[in-house]
Amino acid sequence: MSDNAAPIKLFEKKERIFPKRVWGKYRKVKWVVMITTLAIYYLAPFLRWDRGPHAPDQAILIDMPARRGYFFFIEIWPQEVYYLTGILILAAVALFFATSLFGRVWCGYACPQTVWTDLFVWVERIVQGDRAARMRLKKAPWTFDKLWKMATTHALWLLIGLFTGGAWVFYFNDAPTLLEHIVHFDIPWSIGGWILALTFSTYLMAGFAREQVCMYMCPYSRFQSAMFDKDTLIITYDEDRGEKRGKHKKGESWEGRGHCVDCTACVQVCPMGIDIRDGLQMECIACGLCVDACNNIMDKVELPRGLIRYDTTHNQEQRRQGAEEVTASAHFLRARTVWYTLVLCVVGGLMLYSLTNRATLELHVLHDRNPLFVTLSDGSVRNGYNIKVLNKAYEDKHYSLTVHGIDGAEIRVQGAGAVDASALPVFADSVGHFRVFVSAPKQADARTAITFELIEVNSDASLVANATTYESIFASKRR
Amino acid sequence: MSDKNMEKDAITGVETTGHEWDGIKELNNPAPRWWLIVLLISIIWAVGYWVVYPAWPTLSGDGERGGTKGSYGWTQYQQLKESQAEIVARKAAYLDRFNNADFDQIKADPELYAFAVAGGTSAFKDNCATCHGTGGSGSAGYPNLLDDDWLWGGDVDTIHETIRVGVRFTHDESRISEMPAFGGMLSEDEIGHIADYVLSFTGEAYDGPGKALYEDQCAACHADNGTGGRDFGAPNLADAIWFYGNSKGDIMSQIRRPKHGVMPAWEHRLDESTIRQLAIYVHSLGGGEN
């Protein structure tokens, strides 16, 4: 403890990172993943899926005003939101699974934050040049050259942001129609607001926040790190081979020194701004760009590749002890990967089963509570019910409603026009509300258990095998 | 920040803040500066709220509750007014069509019918539920509107008329029916006989002096067979529904000194459109006649 210590610095300005261009196996994968995921994101809303005349033909659509979610052959109603829970569980388990197999691949390749940051860095490089040029430009005085380069970069970023926000709203509206409205600036504030908000957040997150998001905001990066074990694939620097590092001139002997030539190529390409040679760090998103960079250098100095590579700490230990490396099958077939596979299969199977066997007809009956029953002038008793018929099929249907469990029961539908219980009309993909009265002789019990049965009816009044029931009560006196 | 005097943690190589508790030293990993900036921006944002919205209590402010008013002029009352205006505007689309349609047209049009029932439901809860109950099932002395027994008639037009003019009320056209008090005119025995006979309409056969007395005194309004008369609001005595109770005592009491309910006329209290909505709603409760 010293008495004359400088004041403690609690906040630190972040250093801007200028990732250098690199080419190699993992960079190639990153390009492919980026192009694929962005293409899916931007184009998916334009995919069509025929559902007949009564439902939208957009393959992926979340229809907020109509309270419907569509995904190809799947349609969910608000009360089926548990499917969304299922998808989230699936996504979480899939993330655990991928992490236990390949480490933080999600972070390094597929995460939107990574993909858009990568895209923004690419724009930066096209306009301003590679790492060295960008660093020079940042320090340079504000000349016309700097001004237009900066302006172009930011304009392009904003444009990408605009497209990102623009694509987002297509998932909630009919894409081709909305596109036409957007082109003519004929959109409500709700949609314009979303586009602007996502334009700005894309610009902010991918243009400025970048690696700070992974380090300070993202919970997934943290709990993925928490799931690491000795068999997790991580980016490793082979210390035993690399040290002692130092500059190397062509023709010099490699005797008595390590293979790392201290060129810092791995540091220069890192989008997180870390030095992988310091070992595994929580910032590392396992994108593999340093692996590409180092391999290129190793090729140049004619040494074997793999000084920096995807490896496990288990393998490192094995090698250090002169033992054999863990085989690929042993690596992949571990207790946790087996468990995750099992959970994935069970959850995925359950979801698929329930989605493909989803009932297109549902009946809900709500017995009146105020009053429970009404005595009629002939001494018989009438009960009132609110009935909801959920027709989840894509065509208008008629249903016959009958009541079982009570003798001499008469059923009557109260509503506009002449609606009969033998043919309740319900429009395609909607809910039919019916006010239904059941009258019957006064029963001996205060409550009689009854069952409503709803059967689909053809236009020629014949019954269809599509039926459902609902248990209710018939009240006929005070308890 | 590389102060020579600053102590570094041996394992992590991170500087300590110099704070120590029981040998545990706090490491200093500085937070990013932008984080601090975001905090400051949030504070400035909050100050913006104070200016824009009513925020600070003062002793004699000009705001809604005596505090600062806020430059935006926002108040809860204003917001309520706006959302109510929105509802009125939404209703207006139907109201015109509703007002220009007759009851038969409304009953055939699902949209207008639903509109009328919805409007009637809320108007009923505000104005009628006090006596007739929120479910419309009434109570002793207050008619049950759900059953099929009507004093004045149960089709929409008649219900509409009853709501409009009221019963035994000060309205010029009010429905009036006064059953005489027989307490002074008939003896207790005679009243008992009549009660026995009235009970026989829905119960066991009766053969006694009550029949002649009934035909003499009651049948003019309640009809020979006790089915009542809607022209003068005379209750049906031959059904299972009893307004003031169905024990012999209850009936005798009603003959001796009848109770008469009063229903206000709603013509000048509610607008015509609301009364029409109420009529359709009451008609929809289950006992409506055609």
Side-chain angles (χ1 to χ4, degrees):
Chain A
M1 247 355 4
S2 58
D3 296 321
N4 54 345
I8 297 164
K9 204 173 175 184
L10 293 175
F11 297 97
E12 213 167 50
K13 186 177 185 296
K14 98 176 176 84
E15 288 302 319
R16 181 119 185 119
I17 297 166
F18 299 94
K20 191 176 155 70
R21 186 184 184 186
V22 65
W23 186 245
K25 184 169 140 195
Y26 297 110
R27 180 64 264 187
K28 222 181 290 179
V29 176
K30 265 174 84 74
W31 283 128
V32 171
V33 173
M34 183 210 277
I35 290 165
T36 318
T37 50
L38 286 179
I40 292 173
Y41 176 70
Y42 288 115
L43 300 178
F46 292 93
L47 290 176
R48 301 288 103 182
W49 189 266
D50 184 27
R51 296 187 182 88
H54 299 294
D57 65 346
Q58 185 157 318
I60 304 168
L61 176 67
I62 297 164
D63 191 346
M64 286 291 187
R67 314 280 197 265
R68 297 284 182 273
Y70 300 97
F71 186 85
F72 295 93
F73 66 98
I74 298 168
E75 176 193 341
I76 61 167
W77 287 27
Q79 58 266 51
E80 293 164 316
V81 76
Y82 46 77
Y83 285 121
L84 193 65
T85 314
I87 290 169
L88 292 176
I89 292 172
L90 266 186
V93 179
L95 184 69
F96 301 162
F97 182 58
T99 306
S100 65
L101 283 182
F102 308 113
R104 285 174 63 176
V105 277
W106 167 259
C107 299
Y109 295 87
C111 173
Q113 176 64 25
T114 294
V115 169
W116 262 274
T117 299
D118 223 16
L119 186 66
F120 274 43
V121 171
W122 176 73
V123 169
E124 210 175 83
R125 202 183 69 225
I126 296 298
V127 178
Q128 303 174 11
D130 208 357
R131 176 180 160 91
R134 298 210 296 278
M135 290 170 91
R136 256 200 318 278
L137 192 68
K138 187 173 187 258
K139 286 196 189 116
W142 281 95
T143 59
F144 176 74
D145 182 59
K146 177 169 178 174
L147 197 68
W148 87 259
K149 274 183 178 166
M150 284 309 206
T152 313
T153 310
H154 286 266
L156 285 172
W157 283 356
L158 280 169
L159 192 71
I160 296 171
L162 189 67
F163 274 101
T164 310
W168 177 257
V169 295
F170 287 144
Y171 286 91
F172 299 86
N173 297 276
D174 184 57
T177 321
L178 182 61
L179 182 62
E180 215 166 283
H181 286 292
I182 290 176
V183 169
H184 294 103
F185 293 102
D186 175 25
I187 45 169
W189 262 110
S190 55
I191 291 179
W194 270 109
I195 295 179
L196 285 182
L198 286 163
T199 302
F200 178 69
S201 66
T202 310
Y203 177 67
L204 189 72
M205 292 301 153
F208 301 90
R210 294 191 175 173
E211 80 288 346
Q212 301 288 309
V213 173
C214 316
M215 285 157 62
Y216 296 104
M217 303 179 199
C218 182
Y220 301 102
S221 64
R222 290 299 167 92
F223 72 62
Q224 281 187 88
S225 306
M227 291 168 68
F228 280 10
D229 61 13
K230 66 184 168 79
D231 285 309
T232 306
L233 269 184
I234 53 172
I235 308 270
T236 59
Y237 164 66
D238 195 338
E239 226 177 275
D240 301 330
R241 184 185 144 194
E243 301 301 322
K244 176 175 184 207
R245 69 180 82 152
K247 297 284 177 215
H248 177 267
K249 283 201 185 96
K250 201 167 180 171
E252 267 180 13
S253 160
W254 293 98
E255 283 300 318
R257 56 158 294 161
H259 284 180
C260 175
V261 296
D262 208 8
C263 63
T264 67
C266 54
V267 180
Q268 292 175 34
V269 300
C270 181
M272 303 300 292
I274 57 168
D275 187 344
I276 195 64
R277 294 171 301 174
D278 294 343
L280 177 64
Q281 288 147 75
M282 76 115 195
E283 288 89 349
C284 180
I285 58 169
C287 65
L289 293 184
C290 52
V291 179
D292 283 341
C294 188
N295 282 346
N296 293 344
I297 299 295
M298 287 297 115
D299 289 352
K300 266 187 204 147
V301 297
E302 289 167 348
L303 285 173
R305 289 178 160 208
L307 180 60
I308 299 175
R309 66 169 169 213
Y310 278 100
D311 206 352
T312 64
T313 42
H314 194 179
N315 266 346
Q316 283 184 313
E317 274 165 31
Q318 294 286 97
R319 273 201 305 278
R320 215 162 275 156
Q321 292 160 9
E324 252 179 62
E325 292 190 19
V326 182
T327 59
S329 59
H331 167 72
F332 289 123
L333 262 178
R334 284 140 52 203
R336 66 163 65 184
T337 59
V338 171
W339 276 115
Y340 286 142
T341 312
L342 213 67
V343 174
L344 268 182
C345 289
V346 169
V347 178
L350 274 175
M351 292 261 297
L352 200 68
Y353 175 81
S354 58
L355 278 170
T356 46
N357 288 282
R358 175 176 176 266
T360 54
L361 174 62
E362 237 179 87
L363 171 68
H364 294 280
V365 178
L366 189 64
H367 182 260
D368 278 5
R369 288 189 247 174
N370 178 21
L372 283 170
F373 64 93
V374 180
T375 304
L376 299 178
S377 53
D378 64 356
S380 66
V381 170
R382 195 188 70 214
N383 279 213
Y385 304 85
N386 283 312
I387 286 190
K388 284 186 182 184
V389 178
L390 280 61
N391 174 15
K392 296 178 183 176
Y394 293 131
E395 46 193 297
D396 298 348
K397 297 220 162 144
H398 283 84
Y399 302 96
S400 139
L401 182 72
T402 47
V403 60
H404 304 284
I406 202 159
D407 286 334
E410 266 177 51
I411 192 161
R412 179 162 67 89
V413 183
Q414 168 70 41
V419 184
D420 196 86
S422 65
L424 297 175
V426 185
F427 289 123
D429 199 41
S430 58
V431 184
H433 300 254
F434 300 99
R435 182 89 183 115
V436 167
F437 295 119
V438 173
S439 308
K442 194 170 189 132
Q443 304 292 304
D445 297 321
R447 311 266 183 282
T448 312
I450 57 168
T451 307
F452 281 95
E453 188 180 24
L454 191 75
I455 309 175
E456 193 184 326
V457 188
N458 273 333
S459 50
D460 61 358
S462 62
L463 299 181
V464 184
N466 194 12
T468 182
T469 58
Y470 199 97
E471 307 285 328
S472 188
I473 57 147
F474 184 86
S476 54
K477 60 181 186 189
R478 289 177 204 279
R479 246 199 250 266
Chain B
M1 182 73 206
S2 55
D3 194 277
K4 265 185 253 164
N5 298 319
M6 200 54 93
E7 189 183 347
K8 282 201 174 184
D9 177 61
I11 297 166
T12 55
V14 175
E15 288 160 348
T16 69
T17 57
H19 304 158
E20 183 182 341
W21 294 271
D22 298 340
I24 299 169
K25 286 168 187 165
E26 186 187 21
L27 301 186
N28 181 29
N29 287 302
R33 201 181 58 180
W34 60 260
W35 194 91
L36 182 65
I37 294 169
V38 169
L39 175 69
L40 296 175
I41 291 173
S42 308
I43 292 170
I44 294 166
W45 184 263
V47 173
Y49 261 103
W50 300 343
V51 178
V52 171
Y53 285 105
W56 291 96
T58 55
L59 285 176
S60 57
D62 49 0
E64 191 183 325
R65 296 258 189 250
T68 55
K69 196 177 176 187
S71 66
Y72 199 53
W74 183 92
T75 68
Q76 286 181 332
Y77 293 112
Q78 189 56 34
Q79 196 177 32
L80 177 69
K81 244 183 243 168
E82 278 165 22
S83 50
Q84 278 175 333
E86 213 174 281
I87 294 167
V88 168
R90 212 159 48 210
K91 272 167 77 174
Y94 293 96
L95 215 50
D96 258 6
R97 270 171 63 203
F98 177 80
N99 290 340
N100 292 321
D102 63 32
F103 284 134
D104 284 337
Q105 287 169 326
I106 293 166
K107 280 203 281 184
D109 183 335
E111 227 174 63
L112 283 185
Y113 189 78
F115 172 77
V117 170
T121 307
S122 58
F124 188 89
K125 297 216 158 96
D126 279 349
N127 300 291
C128 319
T130 324
C131 295
H132 291 287
T134 49
S137 56
S139 62
Y142 300 100
N144 183 339
L145 304 174
L146 304 170
D147 61 32
D148 55 350
D149 187 25
W150 298 91
L151 292 171
W152 300 95
D155 60 286
V156 189
D157 285 304
T158 312
I159 293 171
H160 174 258
E161 182 67 5
T162 307
I163 299 171
R164 189 175 75 82
V165 301
V167 180
R168 301 181 195 95
F169 199 63
T170 52
H171 193 281
D172 290 342
E173 301 165 58
S174 185
R175 297 193 187 284
I176 303 287
S177 79
E178 286 271 348
M179 171 168 158
F182 290 91
M185 298 189 255
L186 300 171
S187 70
E188 274 299 289
D189 280 351
E190 287 169 322
I191 291 173
H193 292 317
I194 294 176
D196 281 335
Y197 181 63
V198 165
L199 276 170
S200 78
F201 292 137
T202 48
E204 286 163 26
Y206 171 85
D207 187 28
K211 186 167 190 292
L213 281 165
Y214 175 88
E215 279 163 4
D216 231 25
Q217 306 286 348
C218 318
C221 292
H222 291 284
D224 280 348
N225 52 6
T227 51
R230 287 182 177 180
D231 291 340
F232 14 82
N236 185 340
L237 307 175
D239 65 13
I241 293 163
W242 296 89
F243 206 12
Y244 289 106
N246 63 347
S247 70
K248 187 177 174 186
D250 290 336
I251 296 168
M252 283 176 68
S253 154
Q254 193 63 11
I255 299 170
R256 205 180 293 124
R257 236 183 76 196
K259 288 179 223 161
H260 293 115
V262 171
M263 173 166 128
W266 293 92
E267 183 165 30
H268 299 297
R269 301 181 172 209
L270 298 174
D271 59 55
E272 171 62 8
S273 181
T274 308
I275 294 176
R276 275 156 53 89
Q277 288 168 31
L278 275 171
I280 290 179
Y281 171 71
V282 171
H283 183 265
S284 82
L285 291 174
E289 295 169 350
N290 289 317

